[in-house]
């Protein structure tokens, strides 16, 4: 039985925003803990350091499972203890869990915080245990909102069996499935696109995809757009894997965060794709809404030129040929006025007419996702899906990052990427190069995934991640 609240289409219709690894906004009305809302906000998610929460005055360190397993925090729960507490919370609910633990004093709030990923902060050292209740409320709320792992799915054989038996697979993809084609992802340290944007002078590299920045100065976006243009007539083995699922009648929908439109190169049908963040497939004038195929502006983008609307240019040229007395001027709101009806004092209001910029139809931060995203997910796919495969994304951009959490919790979920995520729970984590992982899964399933980038004699070694029954690392032998 699915006990999660059914999402609504409106709940997924929010502007695209960057999210961090944790969500601390929910209140926990469980007694005896006092109801508490958090003033702490998530700080940067640095894969080489601690994750933190901060309210400007204090910083709270977040514990990863690896740190619990390795015992880096004195007095913390072990990973096994933490998993027992988490399972119990999901089984009986927040109020009963607090009654069973804190009210009966079977464990201290200070220690219990560590089971849910919060390191007791130095500023509370020596304080009575009740002082940890607000932090524990945040930690419990955080954990309870996460989808719990399904315990029956753990091994590679389980993953292969799910592939073979499932008939309606949702595939959620990110930039990691295109990196083997030379298209950079966004967040990888030193190699991701964001790491290379310091020369633009932005306070945050993500501003290059901010709609407000684009409207103010589109040249910032077009200075880097050539680096993320679609690769012509190419697709990766992972794109081929999605096409193979389609050919076998198993692909329900590919929700892609990518804007490169490479799925089309692989032959994935348009009706099987939801381009959550739009794509370069088309472009639209920001002034007159004239739309063109995306490749019509590719040469300008490759040359580092801001593409301008040909319709606007023609209108400006036509206006220039009109007799002087019939020329019109534009008011600040974009409406035109007859010059002959304007006062001479309005001369300063005249502006040199300029054509509109052709904006690729990608969804910038601050813009709503296409209506198709929420409609299809909530009204169609949610009740049909029998497997979810998330590939090549760190799930840090909302509302797409919320997809795994709004699907029924009994639907198994597999995660494929180079590194695991800590803020969303999957049933099986398959870590490594996406192309290597999917090609090995296909071999074990007896499927013929043909692609020139997959060596005929490729051998893949799979090793379990230490301390994790359901996390496996893929590595090409000899690589």
């Amino acid at each position: 039985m699915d006990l999660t609240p059914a999402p609504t289409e409106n709940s997924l219709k929010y502007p695209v925003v960057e999210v961090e690894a944790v969500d601390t906004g929910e209140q926990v009305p469980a007694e005896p803990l006092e109801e508490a809302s958090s003033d702490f906000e998530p700080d940067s998610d640095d894969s080489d350091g601690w994750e933190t929460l901060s309210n400007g005055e204090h910083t709270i360190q977040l514990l990863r499972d690896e740190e619990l397993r390795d015992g880096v925090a004195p007095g913390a729960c072990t990973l096994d203890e933490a998993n027992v507490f988490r399972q119990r919370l999901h089984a009986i609910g927040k109020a009963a869990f607090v009654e069973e633990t804190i009210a009966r004093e079977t464990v201290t709030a200070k220690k219990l915080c560590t089971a849910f990923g919060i390191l007791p902060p130095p500023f509370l050292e020596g304080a009575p245990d009740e002082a940890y209740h607000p932090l524990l409320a945040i930690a419990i709320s955080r954990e309870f909102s996460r989808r719990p792992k399904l315990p029956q799915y753990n091994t590679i054989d389980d993953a292969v069996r799910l592939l073979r038996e499932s008939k309606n697979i949702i595939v959620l993809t990110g930039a990691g499935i295109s990196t083997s084609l030379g298209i950079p992802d966004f967040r990888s340290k030193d190699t991701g696109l964001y790491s290379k944007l310091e020369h633009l002078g932005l306070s945050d590299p993500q501003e290059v995809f901010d709609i407000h920045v684009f409207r103010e100065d589109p040249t910032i976006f077009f200075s880097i757009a050539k680096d993320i243009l679609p690769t012509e007539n190419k697709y990766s083995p992972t794109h081929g894997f999605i096409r193979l699922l389609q050919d076998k009648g198993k692909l329900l929908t590919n929700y892609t965060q990518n804007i490169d439109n490479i799925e089309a190169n692989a032959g994935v049908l348009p009706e099987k794709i939801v381009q959550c963040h739009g794509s370069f497939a088309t472009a639209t004038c920001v002034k007159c809404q004239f739309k063109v195929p995306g490749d019509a502006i590719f040469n300008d983008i490759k040359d580092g030129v801001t593409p301008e609307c040909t319709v606007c240019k023609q209108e400006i040229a036509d206006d220039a040929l009109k007799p002087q007395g019939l020329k019109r001027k534009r008011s600040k709101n974009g409406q035109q006025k007859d010059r002959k009806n304007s006062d001479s004092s309005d001369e300063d209001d005249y502006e040199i007419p300029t054509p509109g910029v052709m904006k690729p139809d990608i969804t910038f931060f601050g813009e709503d996702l296409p209506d198709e995203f929420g409609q299809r997910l909530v009204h169609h796919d949610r009740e049909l899906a029998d497997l979810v495969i998330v590939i090549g994304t760190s799930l840090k951009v909302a509302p797409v990052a919320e997809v795994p959490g709004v699907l029924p919790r009994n639907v198994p979920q597999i995660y494929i990427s180079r590194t695991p995520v800590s803020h969303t729970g999957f049933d099986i984590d398959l870590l490594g190069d996406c192309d290597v992982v999917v090609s090995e899964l296909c071999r074990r399933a007896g499927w013929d995934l043909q692609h020139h980038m997959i060596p005929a004699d490729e051998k893949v070694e799979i090793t379990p991640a230490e301390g994790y029954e359901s996390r496996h690392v893929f590595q090409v032998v000899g690589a």
Side-chain angles (χ1 to χ4, degrees):
M1 179 182 296
D2 177 22
L3 298 179
T4 58
T8 64
E9 182 182 328
N10 288 336
S11 71
L12 294 169
K13 190 172 177 60
Y14 292 106
V16 176
V17 296
E18 178 80 1
V19 298
E20 290 292 347
V22 295
D23 176 12
T24 63
E26 184 182 352
Q27 295 184 337
V28 183
E31 297 292 345
L33 299 185
E34 293 185 4
E35 185 172 326
S37 60
S38 174
D39 293 327
F40 287 92
E41 299 294 338
D43 283 347
S44 62
D45 179 17
D46 184 352
S47 59
D48 293 330
W50 294 89
E51 294 175 319
T52 63
L53 299 177
S54 175
N55 66 355
E57 180 181 1
H58 298 297
T59 297
I60 306 298
Q61 292 180 336
L62 303 183
L63 285 164
R64 298 189 184 94
D65 283 355
E66 291 86 350
E67 290 144 357
L68 291 179
R69 180 197 64 206
D70 297 339
V72 300
C77 292
T78 65
L79 182 56
D80 287 341
E81 289 173 334
N83 284 331
V84 170
F85 282 128
R86 295 169 190 172
Q87 291 168 10
R88 188 62 178 162
L89 170 63
H90 286 285
I92 65 176
K94 291 184 285 189
F97 179 80
V98 171
E99 173 65 27
E100 185 176 279
T101 55
I102 300 302
R104 298 181 186 176
E105 298 183 350
T106 59
V107 62
T108 64
K110 178 180 180 180
K111 182 174 182 178
L112 196 53
C113 281
T114 66
F116 303 116
I118 289 184
L119 184 70
F123 67 83
L124 287 180
E125 189 62 37
D129 198 54
E130 290 77 7
Y132 293 89
H133 285 185
L135 282 180
L136 181 59
I138 296 169
I140 288 175
S141 178
R142 218 177 123 223
E143 174 61 32
F144 194 73
S145 66
R146 293 176 58 177
R147 170 190 177 272
K149 179 188 174 330
L150 299 177
Q152 66 268 39
Y153 303 114
N154 298 287
T155 68
I156 302 297
D157 288 341
D158 291 335
V160 172
R161 187 176 69 257
L162 286 169
L163 277 179
R164 284 173 150 174
E165 296 177 355
S166 299
K167 298 178 180 178
N168 291 296
I169 301 175
I170 287 178
V171 180
L172 175 59
T173 50
I177 73 169
S178 298
T179 54
S180 61
L181 301 175
I183 299 176
D185 64 9
F186 296 94
R187 294 170 183 80
S188 291
K189 190 175 182 180
D190 299 328
T191 61
L193 182 67
Y194 288 156
S195 69
K196 301 177 180 180
L197 300 183
E198 293 182 2
H199 67 283
L200 295 178
L202 301 173
S203 59
D204 183 339
Q206 293 170 139
E207 290 181 1
V208 76
F209 292 107
D210 187 288
I211 189 58
H212 305 293
V213 174
F214 182 88
R215 289 168 179 161
E216 182 177 333
D217 185 2
T219 63
I220 294 176
F221 167 76
F222 286 109
S223 70
I224 62 92
K226 61 181 178 295
D227 296 326
I228 55 175
L229 272 182
T231 302
E232 296 179 2
N233 301 319
K234 293 182 180 179
Y235 61 90
S236 72
T238 305
H239 292 97
F241 169 71
I242 299 169
R243 165 67 186 271
L244 184 59
L245 292 178
Q246 172 185 279
D247 292 347
K248 291 183 173 293
K250 293 175 174 287
L251 180 64
L252 182 59
T253 303
N254 176 198
Y255 290 88
T256 177
Q257 299 173 90
N258 297 337
I259 57 179
D260 50 38
N261 201 38
I262 293 178
E263 298 84 6
N265 292 347
V268 182
L269 298 173
E271 58 265 30
K272 290 291 185 180
I273 304 172
V274 173
Q275 291 175 317
C276 304
H277 296 159
S279 77
F280 277 101
T282 56
T284 303
C285 174
V286 298
K287 283 190 176 180
C288 73
Q289 305 305 305
F290 178 62
K291 190 180 289 286
V292 299
D295 55 13
I297 66 171
F298 281 3
N299 286 337
D300 281 345
I301 293 177
K302 290 175 182 176
D303 294 339
V305 176
T306 299
E308 296 178 335
C309 176
T310 56
V311 171
C312 287
K313 286 182 177 179
Q314 186 61 51
E315 181 183 348
I316 292 170
D318 291 344
D319 283 348
L321 296 176
K322 293 178 180 178
Q324 182 73 13
L326 297 179
K327 281 189 178 180
R328 299 164 68 85
K329 73 172 188 176
R330 297 182 183 276
S331 66
K332 292 181 179 180
N333 64 6
Q335 301 296 318
Q336 293 180 327
K337 300 178 181 178
D338 288 330
R339 183 176 181 178
K340 62 183 180 182
N341 294 330
S342 300
D343 295 333
S344 59
S345 60
D346 289 341
E347 289 295 327
D348 292 340
D349 290 338
Y350 282 100
E351 297 178 359
I352 298 175
T354 58
V357 173
M358 296 303 296
K359 174 185 173 293
D361 290 332
I362 62 179
T363 307
F364 279 56
F365 290 116
E367 291 187 296
D368 289 342
L369 264 66
D371 291 340
E372 183 188 12
F373 169 69
Q375 290 174 353
R376 181 155 179 161
L377 180 64
V378 174
H379 299 302
H380 184 265
D381 291 355
R382 186 177 191 271
E383 298 307 319
L384 292 177
D386 54 10
L387 176 63
V388 179
I389 306 176
V390 178
I391 315 178
T393 172
S394 57
L395 291 176
K396 288 193 174 182
V397 177
V400 177
E402 300 169 11
V403 170
V406 302
L407 293 169
R409 295 190 172 192
N410 64 314
V411 176
Q413 299 189 7
I414 297 173
Y415 182 72
I416 301 173
S417 195
R418 290 184 180 275
T419 56
V421 293
S422 59
H423 59 290
T424 302
F426 291 95
D427 302 311
I428 305 174
D429 292 319
L430 307 178
L431 307 182
D433 183 276
C434 299
D435 294 341
V436 171
V437 174
V438 300
S439 63
E440 181 62 20
L441 288 178
C442 287
R443 288 190 199 100
R444 293 179 177 234
W447 297 353
D448 187 16
L449 176 60
Q450 295 187 353
H451 195 284
H452 70 277
M453 292 172 64
I454 303 176
D457 59 349
E458 182 177 76
K459 289 183 172 52
V460 177
E461 181 181 36
I462 304 175
T463 56
E466 184 181 354
Y468 296 93
E469 184 182 9
S470 61
R471 185 172 293 178
H472 311 275
V473 179
F474 288 61
Q475 179 71 41
V476 175
V477 176

